[in-house]
Structure formats: C-alpha cells, structure tokens
C-alpha cells in the first residue's frame, strides 16, 4: 500500500502498511468519506508528525490520545492547533508549565510546528477523528499502528525522552525499553487533572538535562 509519508518512516514502517489492520483503517476512512463525514485532520496532515520529524531526528516523543475534533484545530501534531486558532485548555496548561519550568513566556501561537521541526515527535495514538465526535476513530486500528511506531522508536533509537502525560499515555511505557530511554510520567495537562501532578513536573527542563548528558543538543522549546 503506497502511503505518502517521509522516507525514513516509510522504510521503518513498511511492514505495517501491508497488515490487515492497516488496510482496514484505509477502508474505514474511505467509507467515512463516501458517507460525507468530515474527518480531522485533513488528509494531507494525517501523517504531519512523521513528515515533519523524521525517525533519525526524534529526540523527544510527546504522546496525545486523539486529534482535536473542532473546525480548524487539528493538523496532525498532538496538542498543537493551526496558526490563528486559540490554544485549547490542555495546551494552555502546557504553556503554563513551560513558563514555570524554563521561563518561556506564553507563545502567541498554539502551533507547535517549531517543536516538531526540532526533534519533538508529536504523536497522537489515533491519527484521525470524526468532526465533533471525540475518540470516534479510536478503535479502527490506529492504536495498533501507533503502538508499532512507539516500539520502533524504542528499538531503533537510543536516548529518546518519552513524555507520558496521563494514564492512557503511561500505559504505553510497556512498549519502551527504559534501560536506554527516559520515560517521564505525570498527570495529563487537562484542566481536570493538571493540578494533580502535571504542574510542577518540570518535564521540559528534565528532558533537556537528559539529552545534554547524552551529548545530544537540547530542544529549543521557544515557539
């Protein structure tokens, strides 16, 4: 199956694209289109995280659960919104922690493309969603694909920082070899849970401290 995705990822994941579950994803999305259902993000952005951050450039992986399901928000990078769109509550809290942790003022944009271009792989566990229906594509096969992606990064790379925010993300630690990577865990940045351990987690500074110790350039978190 010919998937339009950055070459290093295409090579690393080539076996996944021919597995029955992935063929089922493609069939499901085609059926949604035939039913004239609106799907986010737009087709060209479904693999935006992969196309912006090649496998050999990944330094940090931040794992989200589901793309935003509102108009103009999702563009294939977890927690990120397109330029000109107001930052959703979880992203507002991420920016608050960024400020208290490393002193970066709240950005004027919620577009995290700069992070993605500098080694932060912004992966959602599901890569698509039906408009207005959160988690609507959570069980169509994406979890199997993105689990394979996480394991591929763990197996083929060294010294990656995995930021696992909330119980859902923390369950993915089973896919990570923590003897050669750093898994940072905290509560989710959602307003429902940020006060129970996300605020004060200092993941941004901890990530850079770890990378520097490994002789890797730190992430430029400024947007």
């Amino acid at each position: 199956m010919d998937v339009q995705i950055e070459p290093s990822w295409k090579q690393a994941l080539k076996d996944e694209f021919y597995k029955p579950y992935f063929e089922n994803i493609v069939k499901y999305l085609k059926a949604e289109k035939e039913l004239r259902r609106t799907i986010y993000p737009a087709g060209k952005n479904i693999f935006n995280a992969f196309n912006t951050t090649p496998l050999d450039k990944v330094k940090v992986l931040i794992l989200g659960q589901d793309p935003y399901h509102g108009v103009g928000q999702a563009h294939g990078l977890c927690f990120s919104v397109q330029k000109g769109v107001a930052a959703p509550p979880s992203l507002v809290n991420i920016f608050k922690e960024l400020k208290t942790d490393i002193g970066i003022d709240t950005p004027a944009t919620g577009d995290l493309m700069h992070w993605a271009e500098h080694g932060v792989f912004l992966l959602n566990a599901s890569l698509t969603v039906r408009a207005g229906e959160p988690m609507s594509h959570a069980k169509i096969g994406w979890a199997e694909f993105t689990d394979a992606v996480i394991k591929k990064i763990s197996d083929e790379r060294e010294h990656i920082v995995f930021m696992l925010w909330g119980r859902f993300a923390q369950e993915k630690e089973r896919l990570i070899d923590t003897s050669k990577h750093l898994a940072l865990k905290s509560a989710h940045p959602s307003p429902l849970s940020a006060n129970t351990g996300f605020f004060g987690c200092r993941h941004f500074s901890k990530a850079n401290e770890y990378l520097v110790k490994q002789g890797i350039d730190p992430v430029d978190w400024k947007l």
Side-chain angles (χ1 to χ4, degrees):
M1 188 172 298
D2 188 31
V3 176
Q4 299 303 307
I5 192 171
E6 188 274 333
S8 68
W9 284 113
K10 191 166 191 174
Q11 174 62 26
L13 300 170
K14 63 182 187 298
D15 293 342
E16 301 302 315
F17 299 133
Y18 291 92
K19 289 181 178 178
Y21 83 83
F22 199 87
E23 292 177 2
N24 288 337
I25 294 172
V26 174
K27 287 177 186 174
Y28 192 97
L29 294 178
K30 284 180 178 176
E32 293 276 72
K33 192 173 183 181
E34 287 168 7
L35 291 168
R36 298 184 180 279
R37 287 177 171 154
T38 301
I39 303 302
Y40 297 131
K44 65 179 181 179
N45 285 329
I46 290 174
F47 293 104
N48 197 15
F50 300 82
N51 293 332
T52 310
T53 316
L55 177 57
D56 65 339
K57 301 297 184 186
V58 175
K59 297 179 181 181
V60 174
L61 183 150
I62 298 178
L63 183 65
Q65 192 163 358
D66 199 40
Y68 296 124
H69 53 86
V71 177
Q73 293 181 304
H75 63 135
L77 306 175
C78 76
F79 293 106
S80 179
V81 289
Q82 298 181 59
K83 282 185 170 63
V85 176
S90 290
L91 185 54
V92 169
N93 287 338
I94 290 169
F95 289 157
K96 285 180 181 177
E97 177 59 23
L98 195 65
K99 169 71 172 174
T100 57
D101 184 11
I102 54 179
I104 292 177
D105 289 332
T106 300
T109 178
D111 183 343
L112 305 181
M113 184 67 86
H114 176 81
W115 290 2
E117 291 170 344
H118 289 79
V120 183
F121 188 53
L122 297 167
L123 179 68
N124 272 316
S126 295
L127 298 190
T128 58
V129 69
R130 197 180 298 150
E133 297 183 43
M135 304 302 294
S136 49
H137 287 179
K139 295 182 179 178
I140 71 170
W142 281 129
E144 191 167 348
F145 177 70
T146 53
D147 280 1
V149 170
I150 294 167
K151 191 170 189 311
K152 183 67 69 172
I153 293 171
S154 176
D155 291 349
E156 295 201 359
R157 296 291 314 281
E158 291 185 346
H159 311 313
I160 303 297
V161 181
F162 293 83
M163 293 187 181
L164 307 176
W165 298 338
R167 191 188 322 170
F168 174 85
Q170 289 169 23
E171 288 172 354
K172 304 296 184 179
E173 188 178 10
R174 62 187 166 78
L175 304 167
I176 301 164
D177 181 353
T178 53
S179 71
K180 62 172 183 169
H181 302 291
L182 176 65
L184 295 174
K185 296 179 285 186
S186 77
H188 194 275
S190 160
L192 298 174
S193 56
N195 284 314
T196 64
F198 178 75
F199 290 140
C201 70
R202 299 188 62 246
H203 281 187
F204 303 103
S205 60
K206 287 177 180 177
N208 277 353
E209 287 165 9
Y210 174 80
L211 292 171
V212 169
K213 280 182 182 176
Q214 307 302 328
I216 300 166
D217 288 339
V219 172
D220 177 11
W221 292 109
K222 193 170 183 178
L223 291 171

